[in-house]
Amino acid sequence: MATKHVQYTTHGTCSKLIDVTADEHDVIQQVFFLGGCNGNLQGISQLVRGQRIDDVIARLRGIRCGTKGTSCPDQLTMALEELKRAPLE
């Protein structure tokens, strides 16, 4: 099975990096966050695995963390947008 993969540097969150992989049908295979709230981000990673990229973007885009203009879930949507454009490996 062909996959695509990106490592996205986050902006404005406690997490620093999101590593995400999807298959050729844009189904998320794995997500890893570097930094941030470990338990919450492990939960998000498990919940989005097996979901279609566009479905996750629609659900998580625009979520804010406190007074920050973004959040880890919102940053994940940005990583997923980049992943959609990534070449298959």
Side-chain angles (χ1 to χ4, degrees):
M1 169 181 15
T3 61
K4 45 189 170 179
H5 172 256
V6 296
Q7 289 187 327
Y8 178 81
T9 302
T10 61
H11 306 281
T13 61
C14 298
S15 65
K16 303 298 180 204
L17 182 92
I18 303 171
D19 185 294
V20 59
T21 304
D23 68 16
E24 68 254 320
H25 304 292
D26 283 347
V27 174
I28 299 167
Q29 300 300 305
Q30 64 181 10
V31 178
F32 296 105
F33 288 84
L34 178 63
C37 303
N38 189 39
N40 289 332
L41 297 176
Q42 283 184 51
I44 290 169
S45 297
Q46 292 298 315
L47 289 170
V48 303
R49 189 168 47 187
Q51 302 295 313
R52 294 190 50 77
I53 290 174
D54 287 335
D55 294 338
V56 172
I57 290 171
R59 288 185 189 119
L60 300 182
R61 176 174 276 145
I63 291 176
R64 304 289 180 245
C65 183
T67 59
K68 297 177 182 177
T70 190
S71 67
C72 292
D74 186 53
Q75 289 292 297
L76 176 58
T77 67
M78 295 175 195
L80 292 173
E81 289 286 0
E82 189 173 305
L83 183 62
K84 284 173 52 172
R85 297 186 299 272
L88 289 171
E89 300 173 356

